[in-house]
Amino acid sequence: MSREVVYTGRRIKVAIDTQTSPDGQTIRRDMILHPGAVVILPILDREHVVLLRNHRFVIDETLWEVPAGTREPDEPLEECARRELLEETGYQAARWRSLGFLYASPGVLDEKLHLFVAEELTPGPASPEPDEQLEPVTVRLDDAIRMCLSGEIKDAKTVTSLLLWERMTRMG
């Protein structure tokens, strides 16, 4: 197998892998290489979560999302999660739990999304990056679940985080 990086951007690389199949055919795969990210579900209290209204320029749409962000090189996961929660919402959390990880789109992208729950929140000022258009909004957990099931929340990491949390808390 050989890999050729054909583009290096600020956060991603685009590569072409070339392999030989067992029957001798050459197979080329386009892929996006990503350093990984954290996803944070901020739990305000038993009945409320903090979501973001986040304008996504790639699709030119404003989505409901949980806070998330790309890891810096060699940055510990929880440190990245703390940094992103503070930047995007202004909240700091006294308690953190991991919900595991998922792959966003493993057919073309190697990004690993590490899911966290942030609890015992203390508010403060948000400081989003200059290219981010974020609005933190307190939402009833029941409403957020309804929004997932109705398709109003379209972001996969947000749907996954909310439904995992709702299932975990219901099961005890």
Side-chain angles (χ1 to χ4, degrees), residues 42-45 47-53 64 91 121 135-141 143-144 147:
I43 304 294
L44 203 52
D45 59 41
E47 295 182 7
H48 297 90
V49 296
V50 178
L51 298 180
L52 300 172
R53 296 290 293 151
W64 286 103
Y91 283 101
L121 302 179
E135 176 192 357
V137 180
T138 299
V139 178
R140 288 185 50 80
L141 179 58
D143 290 338
M147 292 162 69

Side-chain angles (χ1 to χ4, degrees), residues 11-132:
R11 290 195 174 135
I12 64 162
K13 294 179 182 176
V14 178
I16 299 172
D17 272 10
T18 305
Q19 300 178 0
T20 303
S21 69
D23 65 359
Q25 293 185 44
T26 299
I27 301 168
R28 288 176 41 122
R29 290 191 173 91
D30 301 333
M31 63 183 61
I32 300 167
L33 307 173
H34 190 282
V38 295
V39 175
I40 306 106
L41 176 60
I43 304 294
L44 203 52
D45 59 41
R46 289 179 56 97
E47 295 182 7
H48 297 90
V49 296
V50 178
L51 298 180
L52 300 172
R53 296 290 293 151
N54 187 1
H55 184 76
R56 292 295 187 170
F57 295 95
V58 171
I59 59 172
D60 193 26
E61 195 173 331
T62 299
L63 300 178
W64 286 103
E65 295 186 32
V66 291
T70 302
R71 287 178 71 188
E72 298 296 332
D74 300 318
E75 183 178 27
L77 291 171
E78 194 170 305
E79 187 177 309
C80 181
R82 288 179 188 281
R83 175 178 55 78
E84 288 295 337
L85 178 65
L86 182 61
E87 284 178 10
E88 295 189 356
T89 68
Y91 283 101
Q92 295 186 59
R95 185 169 166 205
W96 290 87
R97 289 196 235 182
S98 172
L99 293 178
F101 70 89
L102 59 90
Y103 292 106
S105 183
V108 295
L109 174 65
D110 74 347
E111 179 182 26
K112 187 184 264 191
L113 296 165
H114 299 270
L115 309 175
F116 289 93
V117 172
E119 298 175 280
E120 299 175 24
L121 302 179
T122 303
S127 56
E129 294 184 26
D131 65 339
E132 293 178 318

